[in-house]
Structures are given as structure tokens and as C-alpha cells.
Amino acid sequence: MNEMFAGLEQWQLVLFIIVGALLLLFGYRIKKAAFFLIWFAIGFLLMRNVMPWINHNFPDIASQQTWQFILPIGGGVLAAMLGFTVEKLCVGGICFGLIMMAAIQQFGTEMNVIVIAAVLGVLAAGAAVMTMKPATIVATSFAGAFLIVSSLPYLITMNNFDDYRLAVIAGATVIGSICQFFTTKHIS
């Protein structure tokens, strides 16, 4: 299994849990900031997964700790700026990106996993664009649940958590979505 959150420092894990809680419970209320935070997390985590390739092919970058710190942040900022600009593209991209990241983390990086996740991601993105408010609520709840559930096992020892990861993410997403639907029913 590919662990995107392995190797993160404790303060980064705590930050992801705090951001996850904000997204889980208040994603639609802080929609613009939520999009920025989600895209930053996606860009940051994806860049961290690309770092071994960069370090292998560019030894000067591998030897400097400053680049190891700056490049993931730069990837996060670039993705956040892209995602922040167009709302519908942002919601569709969030759905696609989260499905891809969850599938890779849970099932690995084999080609069949990536293809199935990509097809599901495209279908979810299309559905999300057609129903913006509910999709935004569910996507931000899912993003929050994903960040919390993926970060928490690295802060506290949780044995055999992988068996329950998807169920916990799904349950937290449902709870977060219900909270957001009730607290935003008069907001369009």
C-alpha cells in the first residue's frame, strides 16, 4: 500500500487534521477557502510523492534540505491557485483527485487500480458539476474525512486500522455532510 502521509512531520499531520476538521464540518460555509485548502493538500501530497523521482534525477535538489521543504509547498500553492480560479472545474477536479488519492492509498499504484479510480473519478466529477451545492458539501466532507483519517494513525498508534479506513472515511463523510446540509440549508 502506498502511504501518502508516511514521513510527514508531526506538526504537518496536526495541521492536516485541523484543516480536515474545518473541511468536514464547514466546507460549504468557507467554500472559497475550502477549495484553496483542498487543492493545496492535493498538490502538496502529490508533489511529496514525486519527490523521490526528483531527488533521484536531480542530485543537487536531493542534497539541499531547503528544496525538500519548498517543492511540496510550491506544488501545493500551484495546485491551490489553479483550483481556486474556476469553481465548477474545482469541484469536479476535487472529486476526481480525491478518488484517485483514496484509491492509491488504499489499493496501491497498480495500473488496474489507477484506471478504475480514474473512471470513477470522471463519473464523480461529472455528477459533481451537475449538482454544485450538494457536491461541494459531500466533496469537502470527504476531503476533511480523508485528511483526518489518513493523518491520525501517524499521530497515535492504531493497529489494523487499514481494515477500517474506508468505512471510517465513509462514515465521517456522511456525518460531515449531514452537519453541513443542516447548517447551510438557507445558503445557496
Side-chain angles (χ1 to χ4, degrees):
M1 179 183 324
N2 182 6
E3 292 292 335
M4 283 186 227
F5 292 76
L8 288 176
E9 295 184 32
Q10 188 171 7
W11 69 269
Q12 292 169 322
L13 294 168
V14 169
L15 186 61
F16 274 131
I17 290 171
I18 292 168
V19 167
L22 287 171
L23 293 171
L24 180 68
L25 300 172
F26 307 108
Y28 192 75
R29 285 193 175 276
I30 60 168
K31 183 169 50 171
K32 297 269 188 210
F35 290 163
F36 186 88
L37 292 170
I38 291 169
W39 278 102
F40 181 86
I42 289 171
F44 180 87
L45 292 169
L46 290 177
M47 182 56 104
R48 283 197 78 248
N49 280 336
V50 173
M51 287 303 292
W53 179 85
I54 291 172
N55 290 338
H56 177 73
N57 290 303
F58 301 97
D60 291 339
I61 291 174
S63 65
Q64 296 181 18
Q65 191 60 31
T66 305
W67 285 113
Q68 303 302 307
F69 182 77
I70 289 175
L71 285 176
I73 291 173
V77 169
L78 286 174
M81 297 305 278
L82 173 72
F84 190 67
T85 56
V86 183
E87 189 171 305
K88 286 185 180 187
L89 179 64
C90 184
V91 171
I94 287 169
C95 291
F96 180 82
L98 288 170
I99 287 173
M100 291 296 291
M101 286 188 347
I104 288 170
Q105 180 159 356
Q106 188 67 30
F107 302 111
T109 57
E110 290 81 30
M111 185 55 72
N112 60 341
V113 171
I114 291 174
V115 169
I116 292 169
V119 169
L120 291 174
V122 168
L123 292 174
V129 170
M130 295 170 62
T131 58
M132 283 300 287
K133 181 177 179 180
T136 301
I137 288 173
V138 173
T140 57
S141 293
F142 179 74
F146 180 79
L147 288 175
I148 293 168
V149 172
S150 297
S151 298
L152 199 56
Y154 293 103
L155 283 177
I156 58 177
T157 304
M158 300 177 83
N159 296 330
N160 299 326
F161 185 70
D162 288 341
D163 298 339
Y164 306 105
R165 182 186 312 261
L166 287 179
V168 174
I169 289 173
T173 299
V174 169
I175 292 168
S177 295
I178 291 169
C179 289
Q180 285 193 55
F181 276 115
F182 279 123
T183 61
T184 62
K185 65 174 113 172
H186 301 296
I187 299 173
S188 58

